[in-house]
Every structure is written in C-alpha cells, then in structure tokens.
Amino acid sequence: MFVYTQNTKIGPISIVEEDGSITHVCFETDRLPERVYERNTALIQNAFEQLDAYLAGQLRTFNLPLLPKGDWFRQKVWDAVSQCKFGVTVSYKDIACQIGYPRVLRATGAAIRRNPIPIFIPCHRVIKNNGAISGYRGGVELKVRLLALEQNHNLAGRICATNKSSR
C-alpha cells in the first residue's frame, strides 16, 4: 500500500492506494492503515487532481477505481451512498430503505461513519431524516463546507444554464 499526503483547500488529506485502487482517504486526525509506504503514485496524483477540481467546483463526479474494505452490509451501504448525486442530500433512512433494510438505521449510520473513502464516496451528502446535519469523520464544519460548496456550484450551474437558454 502506498500513501501520499497533500495540502488541499480543506486541509491536509492522505490518500492510500492498494493494487491499483484507492482504499482510504484520511483527514489530518485519522490514523493511517498499517504497513503503508509513502509514495505519490500516478493514481494517487490523479485522485488529488480530481479532488482539487471538485473543491474548485469544476468536477461533480469522480472517476477513480475505489476499493473500500468492509463486510457485505457496509459494502451495500457504501454502494448506495456512492449513488448520491452532487448537490443532493439524502437521509440515513433513505439509504437504509435503498438497500432493503429500512429498520436498521443505527447499523446504516455506523457503516456510513466507517466509510474509508470519504468525499469520493460522498457520505457528507447523508443527513438526518429531519434535515439536521450530524457527525462527519472530518468534522461537522467540514461536512457543512462540502455541502455548501456543492449547493453553491449547483445553483451557479442552474443560473448559467438558464441565462444561456434565455438568449
């Protein structure tokens, strides 16, 4: 496994690659997986380039090989979270229903909290059923910043599209 850390608009981020896939995105307060070697591979560099473009509002969908490791339930949850669209929030209950387990909200929330590849698997788009913004591994403040970034760029895209169509 290889890891490289880089400063971004949201602070230092470490990205881990294993066998040609991204396996972890770590914030400054996260522990890195064991047995990683520091190296900026082509894939990690590509991931940082896409992350920078996303943070600049120039990219809405990541195109990276992702390989989060977890049991079958976590995999189902992370797959459902991966389908959340840019600028759109869903609830924990929405995710639980989507995977066919509408009564297991706590387990769904626990799986989302253990997402090893945040941002690329956009768990920041999952909020409470009442609309409240709850915890995030990078901190609630970062979750709010990411949601605001997406909302602002979604609105800007709609305004530009509207202006073009009215000419």
Side-chain angles (χ1 to χ4, degrees), residues 2-22:
F2 300 109
V3 63
Y4 192 74
T5 303
Q6 187 171 303
N7 283 320
T8 69
K9 285 184 175 184
I10 57 172
I13 298 285
S14 298
I15 298 178
V16 178
E17 172 191 348
E18 181 179 1
D19 297 328
S21 294
I22 301 298

PDB file of all heavy atoms in Angstrom, residues 2-22:
ATOM      1  N   PHE A   2       0.424   2.229  -0.755  1.00  0.00           N
ATOM      2  CA  PHE A   2       1.143   3.490  -0.835  1.00  0.00           C
ATOM      3  C   PHE A   2       0.244   4.609  -0.347  1.00  0.00           C
ATOM      4  O   PHE A   2      -0.967   4.596  -0.565  1.00  0.00           O
ATOM      5  CB  PHE A   2       1.587   3.770  -2.271  1.00  0.00           C
ATOM      6  CG  PHE A   2       2.498   2.714  -2.824  1.00  0.00           C
ATOM      7  CD1 PHE A   2       2.049   1.850  -3.798  1.00  0.00           C
ATOM      8  CD2 PHE A   2       3.791   2.581  -2.349  1.00  0.00           C
ATOM      9  CE1 PHE A   2       2.886   0.865  -4.310  1.00  0.00           C
ATOM     10  CE2 PHE A   2       4.633   1.601  -2.845  1.00  0.00           C
ATOM     11  CZ  PHE A   2       4.179   0.743  -3.825  1.00  0.00           C
ATOM     12  N   VAL A   3       0.843   5.599   0.300  1.00  0.00           N
ATOM     13  CA  VAL A   3       0.110   6.751   0.792  1.00  0.00           C
ATOM     14  C   VAL A   3       0.871   8.011   0.410  1.00  0.00           C
ATOM     15  O   VAL A   3       2.102   8.018   0.335  1.00  0.00           O
ATOM     16  CB  VAL A   3      -0.079   6.698   2.331  1.00  0.00           C
ATOM     17  CG1 VAL A   3       1.248   6.756   3.062  1.00  0.00           C
ATOM     18  CG2 VAL A   3      -1.007   7.809   2.805  1.00  0.00           C
ATOM     19  N   TYR A   4       0.097   9.043   0.157  1.00  0.00           N
ATOM     20  CA  TYR A   4       0.704  10.351  -0.068  1.00  0.00           C
ATOM     21  C   TYR A   4      -0.213  11.387   0.568  1.00  0.00           C
ATOM     22  O   TYR A   4      -1.429  11.276   0.474  1.00  0.00           O
ATOM     23  CB  TYR A   4       0.894  10.636  -1.563  1.00  0.00           C
ATOM     24  CG  TYR A   4       1.768  11.828  -1.819  1.00  0.00           C
ATOM     25  CD1 TYR A   4       3.150  11.750  -1.631  1.00  0.00           C
ATOM     26  CD2 TYR A   4       1.230  13.033  -2.227  1.00  0.00           C
ATOM     27  CE1 TYR A   4       3.954  12.844  -1.843  1.00  0.00           C
ATOM     28  CE2 TYR A   4       2.030  14.137  -2.451  1.00  0.00           C
ATOM     29  CZ  TYR A   4       3.396  14.032  -2.249  1.00  0.00           C
ATOM     30  OH  TYR A   4       4.213  15.122  -2.464  1.00  0.00           O
ATOM     31  N   THR A   5       0.397  12.371   1.214  1.00  0.00           N
ATOM     32  CA  THR A   5      -0.345  13.427   1.885  1.00  0.00           C
ATOM     33  C   THR A   5      -0.077  14.743   1.174  1.00  0.00           C
ATOM     34  O   THR A   5       1.061  15.030   0.805  1.00  0.00           O
ATOM     35  CB  THR A   5       0.063  13.534   3.364  1.00  0.00           C
ATOM     36  OG1 THR A   5      -0.143  12.260   3.986  1.00  0.00           O
ATOM     37  CG2 THR A   5      -0.729  14.606   4.093  1.00  0.00           C
ATOM     38  N   GLN A   6      -1.146  15.506   1.003  1.00  0.00           N
ATOM     39  CA  GLN A   6      -1.027  16.772   0.295  1.00  0.00           C
ATOM     40  C   GLN A   6      -1.955  17.786   0.959  1.00  0.00           C
ATOM     41  O   GLN A   6      -3.023  17.427   1.453  1.00  0.00           O
ATOM     42  CB  GLN A   6      -1.430  16.551  -1.167  1.00  0.00           C
ATOM     43  CG  GLN A   6      -1.218  17.710  -2.083  1.00  0.00           C
ATOM     44  CD  GLN A   6      -1.442  17.280  -3.532  1.00  0.00           C
ATOM     45  OE1 GLN A   6      -0.792  16.351  -4.010  1.00  0.00           O
ATOM     46  NE2 GLN A   6      -2.353  17.944  -4.210  1.00  0.00           N
ATOM     47  N   ASN A   7      -1.554  19.035   0.965  1.00  0.00           N
ATOM     48  CA  ASN A   7      -2.433  20.098   1.456  1.00  0.00           C
ATOM     49  C   ASN A   7      -3.464  20.404   0.384  1.00  0.00           C
ATOM     50  O   ASN A   7      -3.140  20.474  -0.795  1.00  0.00           O
ATOM     51  CB  ASN A   7      -1.640  21.357   1.800  1.00  0.00           C
ATOM     52  CG  ASN A   7      -0.913  21.211   3.113  1.00  0.00           C
ATOM     53  OD1 ASN A   7      -1.449  20.649   4.066  1.00  0.00           O
ATOM     54  ND2 ASN A   7       0.307  21.707   3.179  1.00  0.00           N
ATOM     55  N   THR A   8      -4.717  20.568   0.812  1.00  0.00           N
ATOM     56  CA  THR A   8      -5.810  20.900  -0.091  1.00  0.00           C
ATOM     57  C   THR A   8      -6.537  22.115   0.476  1.00  0.00           C
ATOM     58  O   THR A   8      -6.200  22.592   1.566  1.00  0.00           O
ATOM     59  CB  THR A   8      -6.805  19.730  -0.210  1.00  0.00           C
ATOM     60  OG1 THR A   8      -7.505  19.588   1.032  1.00  0.00           O
ATOM     61  CG2 THR A   8      -6.102  18.418  -0.571  1.00  0.00           C
ATOM     62  N   LYS A   9      -7.556  22.563  -0.222  1.00  0.00           N
ATOM     63  CA  LYS A   9      -8.366  23.691   0.269  1.00  0.00           C
ATOM     64  C   LYS A   9      -9.054  23.380   1.590  1.00  0.00           C
ATOM     65  O   LYS A   9      -9.464  24.293   2.306  1.00  0.00           O
ATOM     66  CB  LYS A   9      -9.437  24.057  -0.757  1.00  0.00           C
ATOM     67  CG  LYS A   9      -8.930  24.793  -1.946  1.00  0.00           C
ATOM     68  CD  LYS A   9     -10.089  25.192  -2.836  1.00  0.00           C
ATOM     69  CE  LYS A   9      -9.604  26.035  -3.992  1.00  0.00           C
ATOM     70  NZ  LYS A   9     -10.720  26.514  -4.820  1.00  0.00           N
ATOM     71  N   ILE A  10      -9.195  22.104   1.905  1.00  0.00           N
ATOM     72  CA  ILE A  10      -9.865  21.718   3.157  1.00  0.00           C
ATOM     73  C   ILE A  10      -8.884  21.163   4.182  1.00  0.00           C
ATOM     74  O   ILE A  10      -9.286  20.563   5.168  1.00  0.00           O
ATOM     75  CB  ILE A  10     -11.008  20.715   2.887  1.00  0.00           C
ATOM     76  CG1 ILE A  10     -10.499  19.464   2.170  1.00  0.00           C
ATOM     77  CG2 ILE A  10     -12.135  21.394   2.125  1.00  0.00           C
ATOM     78  CD1 ILE A  10     -11.523  18.357   2.037  1.00  0.00           C
ATOM     79  N   GLY A  11      -7.595  21.358   3.946  1.00  0.00           N
ATOM     80  CA  GLY A  11      -6.573  20.893   4.881  1.00  0.00           C
ATOM     81  C   GLY A  11      -5.814  19.699   4.339  1.00  0.00           C
ATOM     82  O   GLY A  11      -6.050  19.249   3.217  1.00  0.00           O
ATOM     83  N   PRO A  12      -4.891  19.172   5.150  1.00  0.00           N
ATOM     84  CA  PRO A  12      -4.100  18.021   4.714  1.00  0.00           C
ATOM     85  C   PRO A  12      -4.972  16.786   4.525  1.00  0.00           C
ATOM     86  O   PRO A  12      -5.805  16.467   5.371  1.00  0.00           O
ATOM     87  CB  PRO A  12      -3.105  17.795   5.856  1.00  0.00           C
ATOM     88  CG  PRO A  12      -3.172  19.011   6.715  1.00  0.00           C
ATOM     89  CD  PRO A  12      -4.507  19.641   6.477  1.00  0.00           C
ATOM     90  N   ILE A  13      -4.788  16.120   3.400  1.00  0.00           N
ATOM     91  CA  ILE A  13      -5.504  14.885   3.083  1.00  0.00           C
ATOM     92  C   ILE A  13      -4.464  13.835   2.701  1.00  0.00           C
ATOM     93  O   ILE A  13      -3.525  14.130   1.967  1.00  0.00           O
ATOM     94  CB  ILE A  13      -6.471  15.089   1.892  1.00  0.00           C
ATOM     95  CG1 ILE A  13      -7.538  16.133   2.213  1.00  0.00           C
ATOM     96  CG2 ILE A  13      -7.088  13.770   1.433  1.00  0.00           C
ATOM     97  CD1 ILE A  13      -8.629  15.670   3.132  1.00  0.00           C
ATOM     98  N   SER A  14      -4.652  12.620   3.187  1.00  0.00           N
ATOM     99  CA  SER A  14      -3.812  11.488   2.782  1.00  0.00           C
ATOM    100  C   SER A  14      -4.672  10.537   1.973  1.00  0.00           C
ATOM    101  O   SER A  14      -5.798  10.223   2.356  1.00  0.00           O
ATOM    102  CB  SER A  14      -3.258  10.751   4.007  1.00  0.00           C
ATOM    103  OG  SER A  14      -2.443  11.609   4.772  1.00  0.00           O
ATOM    104  N   ILE A  15      -4.134  10.089   0.846  1.00  0.00           N
ATOM    105  CA  ILE A  15      -4.840   9.134   0.001  1.00  0.00           C
ATOM    106  C   ILE A  15      -3.997   7.873  -0.079  1.00  0.00           C
ATOM    107  O   ILE A  15      -2.786   7.941  -0.303  1.00  0.00           O
ATOM    108  CB  ILE A  15      -5.120   9.718  -1.398  1.00  0.00           C
ATOM    109  CG1 ILE A  15      -6.036  10.945  -1.272  1.00  0.00           C
ATOM    110  CG2 ILE A  15      -5.743   8.661  -2.312  1.00  0.00           C
ATOM    111  CD1 ILE A  15      -6.342  11.642  -2.582  1.00  0.00           C
ATOM    112  N   VAL A  16      -4.655   6.731   0.105  1.00  0.00           N
ATOM    113  CA  VAL A  16      -3.975   5.435   0.110  1.00  0.00           C
ATOM    114  C   VAL A  16      -4.402   4.639  -1.122  1.00  0.00           C
ATOM    115  O   VAL A  16      -5.591   4.556  -1.434  1.00  0.00           O
ATOM    116  CB  VAL A  16      -4.309   4.638   1.392  1.00  0.00           C
ATOM    117  CG1 VAL A  16      -3.631   3.271   1.377  1.00  0.00           C
ATOM    118  CG2 VAL A  16      -3.900   5.435   2.635  1.00  0.00           C
ATOM    119  N   GLU A  17      -3.423   4.055  -1.779  1.00  0.00           N
ATOM    120  CA  GLU A  17      -3.653   3.174  -2.935  1.00  0.00           C
ATOM    121  C   GLU A  17      -3.154   1.782  -2.593  1.00  0.00           C
ATOM    122  O   GLU A  17      -2.094   1.614  -1.998  1.00  0.00           O
ATOM    123  CB  GLU A  17      -2.895   3.684  -4.159  1.00  0.00           C
ATOM    124  CG  GLU A  17      -2.948   2.715  -5.320  1.00  0.00           C
ATOM    125  CD  GLU A  17      -2.001   3.061  -6.465  1.00  0.00           C
ATOM    126  OE1 GLU A  17      -1.456   4.165  -6.494  1.00  0.00           O
ATOM    127  OE2 GLU A  17      -1.802   2.187  -7.324  1.00  0.00           O
ATOM    128  N   GLU A  18      -3.933   0.796  -3.007  1.00  0.00           N
ATOM    129  CA  GLU A  18      -3.502  -0.590  -2.886  1.00  0.00           C
ATOM    130  C   GLU A  18      -3.911  -1.331  -4.153  1.00  0.00           C
ATOM    131  O   GLU A  18      -5.085  -1.309  -4.542  1.00  0.00           O
ATOM    132  CB  GLU A  18      -4.142  -1.254  -1.662  1.00  0.00           C
ATOM    133  CG  GLU A  18      -3.696  -2.695  -1.474  1.00  0.00           C
ATOM    134  CD  GLU A  18      -4.298  -3.350  -0.243  1.00  0.00           C
ATOM    135  OE1 GLU A  18      -5.092  -2.714   0.475  1.00  0.00           O
ATOM    136  OE2 GLU A  18      -3.983  -4.524  -0.006  1.00  0.00           O
ATOM    137  N   ASP A  19      -2.964  -1.945  -4.806  1.00  0.00           N
ATOM    138  CA  ASP A  19      -3.223  -2.764  -6.002  1.00  0.00           C
ATOM    139  C   ASP A  19      -4.071  -2.047  -7.055  1.00  0.00           C
ATOM    140  O   ASP A  19      -5.007  -2.608  -7.608  1.00  0.00           O
ATOM    141  CB  ASP A  19      -3.894  -4.091  -5.614  1.00  0.00           C
ATOM    142  CG  ASP A  19      -3.012  -4.950  -4.729  1.00  0.00           C
ATOM    143  OD1 ASP A  19      -1.770  -4.883  -4.883  1.00  0.00           O
ATOM    144  OD2 ASP A  19      -3.560  -5.682  -3.890  1.00  0.00           O
ATOM    145  N   GLY A  20      -3.760  -0.775  -7.297  1.00  0.00           N
ATOM    146  CA  GLY A  20      -4.433  -0.045  -8.364  1.00  0.00           C
ATOM    147  C   GLY A  20      -5.789   0.527  -8.022  1.00  0.00           C
ATOM    148  O   GLY A  20      -6.525   0.946  -8.916  1.00  0.00           O
ATOM    149  N   SER A  21      -6.138   0.573  -6.734  1.00  0.00           N
ATOM    150  CA  SER A  21      -7.407   1.164  -6.304  1.00  0.00           C
ATOM    151  C   SER A  21      -7.170   2.063  -5.096  1.00  0.00           C
ATOM    152  O   SER A  21      -6.282   1.809  -4.289  1.00  0.00           O
ATOM    153  CB  SER A  21      -8.418   0.085  -5.920  1.00  0.00           C
ATOM    154  OG  SER A  21      -8.782  -0.686  -7.038  1.00  0.00           O
ATOM    155  N   ILE A  22      -8.018   3.084  -4.975  1.00  0.00           N
ATOM    156  CA  ILE A  22      -7.994   3.935  -3.789  1.00  0.00           C
ATOM    157  C   ILE A  22      -8.742   3.188  -2.683  1.00  0.00           C
ATOM    158  O   ILE A  22      -9.879   2.747  -2.879  1.00  0.00           O
ATOM    159  CB  ILE A  22      -8.677   5.295  -4.064  1.00  0.00           C
ATOM    160  CG1 ILE A  22      -7.985   6.033  -5.220  1.00  0.00           C
ATOM    161  CG2 ILE A  22      -8.731   6.145  -2.798  1.00  0.00           C
ATOM    162  CD1 ILE A  22      -6.536   6.384  -4.985  1.00  0.00           C
TER     163      ILE A  22
END
